[in-house]
Amino acid sequence: MSVVAVIALGAVPTTAQALNEVRTWNSSSTPLKVTGYGSTGYAYGTWKVSNTSNGTRSTASTYSKLSNADDHKVYVELETQVNAGYCVQASKYMSCTKKYWDHDSDTTSHHSSKSYVYKSASTGVSGDADYARGKVRALLDIPWRSDPKTGWSYTDGGDKY
């Protein structure tokens, strides 16, 4: 009887199954593109959740570049979303009984390189969450003006709500 219970529990997906799985957002051939005030920024990358010495972390690894008009800079914002519903994950999709909510955010450092540069942003992940996903967008740092931004891009593997 206890062997059957162990087998049944072993089949239940857990958050741990998502740990260290790399998810993509956009690509080098289809990067996020943000324009404003004569500059254009591009960004793409990957995202994953991993256990670190600082706890469970959501990390966006980004590659961004800028076609610069006037002392502008490009950067990427990561918003870690979580949910507390029971989720079933497959290789490229998942379904959940609860919607995601924004948990924490971070931005990469700003730069003005004309070629792709690696930067990262990282947040904590709520201990109350059953699953997390990355939501990212590219922005231009324009002095004395609001920063133009792209719409949000969600990591592969997540339902969009």
Side-chain angles (χ1 to χ4, degrees):
M1 188 83 149
S2 63
V3 173
V4 173
V6 170
I7 291 170
L9 289 175
V12 175
T14 65
T15 304
Q17 290 177 326
L19 286 175
N20 297 314
E21 285 194 33
V22 176
R23 304 290 189 187
T24 60
W25 54 273
N26 295 77
S27 67
S28 59
S29 59
T30 58
L32 289 173
K33 180 180 175 184
V34 57
T35 58
Y37 305 100
S39 291
T40 304
Y42 303 88
Y44 69 95
T46 60
W47 172 87
K48 73 177 179 176
V49 173
S50 53
N51 286 326
T52 71
S53 58
N54 294 325
T56 304
R57 303 292 298 174
S58 162
T59 303
S61 297
T62 74
Y63 297 90
S64 55
K65 70 178 182 177
L66 180 66
S67 172
N68 196 351
D70 183 28
D71 194 28
H72 301 159
K73 293 182 173 45
V74 65
Y75 65 104
V76 173
E77 180 180 11
L78 163 67
E79 182 74 51
T80 298
Q81 291 192 311
V82 296
N83 81 31
Y86 173 76
C87 292
V88 177
Q89 179 184 354
S91 61
K92 285 288 183 183
Y93 66 92
M94 64 178 214
S95 61
C96 299
T97 59
K98 302 284 182 184
K99 292 185 179 183
Y100 284 91
W101 70 88
D102 293 341
H103 172 66
D104 198 4
S105 64
D106 188 29
T107 60
T108 64
S109 58
H110 303 201
H111 73 87
S112 58
S113 175
K114 292 180 181 178
S115 17
Y116 279 111
V117 173
Y118 171 83
K119 302 286 182 183
S120 67
S122 178
T123 74
V125 177
S126 171
D128 296 330
D130 293 326
Y131 201 82
R133 72 177 177 186
K135 178 173 108 170
V136 294
R137 65 181 170 185
L139 298 93
L140 292 176
D141 181 355
I142 309 293
W144 309 108
R145 300 192 179 189
S146 358
D147 292 352
K149 56 191 158 257
T150 64
W152 291 105
S153 182
Y154 297 80
T155 56
D156 288 350
D159 292 333
K160 295 179 184 178
Y161 289 99

